[in-house]
Amino acid sequence: GTYSVTVIDGRGCSTTLNDIVITDDLGCINVPNAFTPNGDGVNDVWNVNLSAYTNTSLQVYSKWGQNVYDKTDAIHAWDGKHQGNDLPVGTYYYVIKYNDDQTQTGTITIVR
């Protein structure tokens, strides 16, 4: 959409910017920041869809830098396991690479 934004500083001075265009294509991939792999059927997997991009890969690392998930598929549904074992509750770090030269990083939290 197209919007106007008014900014007012601490002294009461203001300025307005008109015709600001906001799109949902920010060049970032929408990545959930938490999931609950506890077997209740709700948010049991971490879904990341990379099918709109080429040459994709996704890696997840523990807080100690251990690679716990590594795939090149376009659609990911990670179950919070590493080598068949449930990973502990906590924050993990992901690296997504796509379109040959794009990278997105962030965190994912496992909650049980």
Side-chain angles (χ1 to χ4, degrees):
T2 303
Y3 300 87
S4 295
V5 175
T6 301
V7 178
I8 302 172
D9 69 13
R11 298 177 307 212
C13 297
S14 68
T15 188
T16 300
L17 303 172
N18 294 306
D19 300 323
I20 297 172
V21 177
I22 299 175
T23 67
D24 62 357
D25 181 15
L26 300 176
C28 293
I29 297 167
N30 183 21
V31 179
N33 62 2
F35 72 119
T36 58
N38 56 11
D40 67 356
V42 179
N43 294 320
D44 284 335
V45 294
W46 183 52
N47 290 307
V48 179
N49 187 336
L50 302 175
S51 61
Y53 305 94
T54 61
N55 299 322
T56 63
S57 68
L58 186 146
Q59 293 85 34
V60 178
Y61 298 91
S62 71
K63 63 183 175 182
W64 299 283
Q66 178 187 16
N67 185 309
V68 296
Y69 183 77
D70 191 345
K71 296 290 181 185
T72 58
D73 304 332
I75 298 176
H76 300 270
W78 181 43
D79 60 4
K81 294 183 179 192
H82 177 61
Q83 297 178 341
N85 299 309
D86 288 340
L87 288 169
V89 168
T91 301
Y92 295 80
Y93 305 89
Y94 68 82
V95 177
I96 298 172
K97 295 181 181 178
Y98 58 102
N99 294 348
D100 294 321
D101 62 350
Q102 301 291 315
T103 301
Q104 181 174 323
T105 61
T107 60
I108 175 70
T109 303
I110 293 178
V111 181
R112 294 195 195 274

